[in-house]
């Protein structure tokens, strides 16, 4: 209940002050895919430091309801840009959508399996046998996990998948109701660790990318229509955004301060860990996609979701400097 009240308060806060954009200029929207969190710190830094304004843009951050919905709504013209993932873009494309990833942020897959180290000793995938993994009903892990296990020569039933309300997954792990949780660097992993600290538990994790999941994670998504009609705006948006992420790498504590000033309902410790995680996920900060790794990403997603979309339809490096 406490977390539900906090979420409601944050939603109200977003309505009240989240629409304040980045100064004068052409107004554009950026869908966050969820609540504000450290993974989006570069966007808020770019707003605060006037990088968008210097490019003639006024950016309005908008609360999202999951990456798939964000990407589909961009395709429908509801938002100009958003924080989206290759799974959502590929599924959108498979249904004749026209969204495109134009910049990488999570240059490696940020997901993993969190577990209570006081209950389970995990030295490798074999130690996960029979454990129960809780994940949101629409989480990518529901489709990716069986493929990931098979790629590691393990049966699909090696881990028991349990579909849950995303709002209760983190607390359920800490309370011992599930053995494993679907947790993400730069996002809810920091929340899990915060809950565990309060409960006196030690949480550790196993990253999918360390065991054969060579994929890109979230990045910046827009529509093919926008690329066609206003390519210069896309270049301006990307230029300012990556300048914001460079600022975040150099000034992580300042970005936490910027976000807390804007959204005081957020927790400093959680934001700090999310920003630290994201700075590691950014790679060289250029935003460029490696064609071979994007091909690997499309192949894994295609196998998991039984769709086939050419990798070159999913992304573009053409709008980055």
């Amino acid at each position: 209940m406490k977390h539900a009240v906090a979420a409601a308060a944050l939603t109200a806060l977003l309505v009240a002050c989240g629409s304040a954009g980045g100064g004068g200029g052409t107004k554009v929207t950026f869908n966050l895919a969820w609540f504000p969190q450290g993974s989006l710190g570069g966007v808020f830094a770019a707003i605060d430091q006037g990088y968008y304004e210097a490019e003639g843009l006024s950016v309005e951050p908008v609360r999202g309801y999951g990456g798939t919905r964000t990407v589909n709504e961009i395709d429908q013209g509801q938002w100009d840009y958003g924080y989206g993932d290759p799974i959502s873009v590929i599924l959108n494309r498979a249904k004749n959508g026209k969204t495109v990833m134009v910049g990488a942020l999570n240059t490696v897959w940020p997901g993993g399996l969190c577990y209570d180290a006081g209950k389970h000793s995990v030295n490798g995938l074999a130690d996960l046998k029979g454990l129960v993994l809780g994940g949101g009903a629409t989480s990518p892990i529901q489709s990716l996990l069986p493929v990931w296990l098979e790629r590691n020569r393990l049966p699909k039933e090696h881990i028991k998948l349990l579909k849950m309300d995303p709002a209760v997954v983190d607390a359920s792990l800490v309370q011992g109701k599930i053995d494993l949780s679907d947790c993400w660097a730069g996002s809810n992993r920091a929340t899990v660790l915060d809950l565990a600290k309060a409960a006196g538990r030690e949480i550790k994790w196993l990253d999918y990318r360390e065991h054969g999941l060579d994929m890109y994670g979230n990045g910046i998504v827009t529509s093919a229509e926008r690329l066609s009609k206003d390519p210069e705006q896309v270049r301006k948006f990307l230029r300012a955004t990556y300048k914001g992420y460079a600022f975040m790498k150099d000034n992580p504590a300042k970005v936490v301060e910027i976000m807390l000033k804007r959204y005081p309902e957020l927790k400093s410790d959680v934001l700090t860990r999310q920003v630290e995680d994201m700075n590691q996920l950014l790679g060289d900060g250029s935003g460029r996609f490696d064609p071979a790794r994007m091909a690997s990403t499309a192949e894994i997603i295609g196998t998991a979701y039984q769709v086939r979309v050419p990798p070159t339809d999913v992304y573009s490096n053409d709008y980055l400097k």
Side-chain angles (χ1 to χ4, degrees):
M1 178 62 71
K2 179 173 70 174
H3 301 294
V5 171
L10 184 54
T11 299
L13 201 62
L14 280 162
V15 172
C17 66
S19 61
T26 302
K27 292 186 177 181
V28 298
T29 51
F30 182 86
N31 190 291
L32 305 172
W34 194 237
F35 292 118
Q37 55 188 11
S39 57
L40 279 307
V43 174
F44 292 104
I47 293 172
D48 182 82
Q49 297 297 302
Y51 299 152
Y52 290 121
E53 189 172 8
E55 297 285 358
L57 302 175
S58 175
V59 175
E60 176 188 350
V62 182
R63 181 252 157 105
Y65 294 87
T68 298
R69 177 167 165 178
T70 291
V71 168
N72 288 334
E73 289 177 346
I74 289 171
D75 190 44
Q76 295 159 11
Q78 294 185 44
W79 318 111
D80 301 313
Y81 304 92
Y83 186 61
D85 59 88
I87 294 175
S88 299
V89 171
I90 285 173
L91 293 180
N92 173 264
R93 283 271 176 174
K95 295 181 179 178
N96 298 316
K98 298 295 182 183
T99 52
V100 184
M101 296 190 77
V102 289
L105 292 174
N106 295 333
T107 59
V108 293
W109 189 251
L113 298 172
C114 279
Y115 60 92
D116 185 338
K119 293 178 61 178
H120 303 290
S121 177
V122 178
N123 296 309
L125 300 187
D127 299 322
L128 303 177
K129 184 176 181 179
L131 299 187
V132 176
L133 165 62
T138 59
S139 169
I141 201 57
Q142 300 292 347
S143 297
L144 283 178
L145 185 77
V147 174
W148 178 65
L149 289 171
E150 286 192 333
R151 291 172 77 91
N152 284 280
R153 300 181 180 180
L154 292 168
K156 293 180 180 180
E157 61 273 13
H158 187 72
I159 296 173
K160 299 177 182 177
L161 262 171
L162 179 64
K163 293 183 179 181
M164 304 177 69
D165 181 340
V168 304
V169 171
D170 298 342
S172 295
L173 175 71
V174 174
Q175 293 165 5
K177 295 178 180 179
I178 54 178
D179 301 309
L180 306 166
S181 75
D182 182 22
C183 61
W184 302 76
S187 181
N188 75 313
R189 186 177 296 174
T191 303
V192 173
L193 293 174
D194 185 63
L195 293 172
K197 181 179 179 181
R201 299 188 181 278
E202 182 185 8
I203 298 296
K204 293 185 178 180
W205 57 88
L206 182 151
D207 286 317
Y208 298 120
R209 65 179 178 270
E210 299 296 332
H211 299 274
L213 201 67
D214 185 19
M215 291 175 55
Y216 280 99
N218 285 60
I220 299 169
V221 176
T222 192
S223 65
E225 181 179 9
R226 181 164 300 277
L227 297 180
S228 174
K229 289 186 175 180
D230 201 345
E232 188 54 33
Q233 184 194 94
V234 179
R235 293 186 181 94
K236 290 177 178 179
F237 182 85
L238 291 174
R239 194 157 50 229
T241 300
Y242 283 102
K243 193 172 180 180
Y245 276 99
F247 180 91
M248 187 173 84
K249 268 202 167 183
D250 292 338
N251 306 276
K254 176 63 177 176
V255 171
V256 171
E257 179 186 316
I258 288 168
M259 294 189 70
L260 286 174
K261 183 178 180 181
R262 191 180 184 102
Y263 306 111
E265 186 71 17
L266 300 177
K267 298 188 69 173
S268 177
D269 289 350
V270 172
L271 268 179
T272 297
R273 185 176 291 274
Q274 289 172 339
V275 167
E276 290 171 350
D277 285 349
M278 193 63 188
N279 279 340
Q280 296 301 312
L281 295 169
L282 285 167
D284 66 6
S286 71
R288 297 186 68 81
F289 294 97
D290 175 72
R293 290 197 60 240
M294 185 54 84
S296 170
T297 300
E299 186 274 324
I300 294 169
I301 294 169
T303 301
Y305 289 88
Q306 298 184 337
V307 296
R308 286 290 177 265
V309 174
T312 51
D313 287 354
V314 181
Y315 76 100
S316 174
N317 287 323
D318 295 346
Y319 303 88
L320 296 162
K321 61 181 180 181

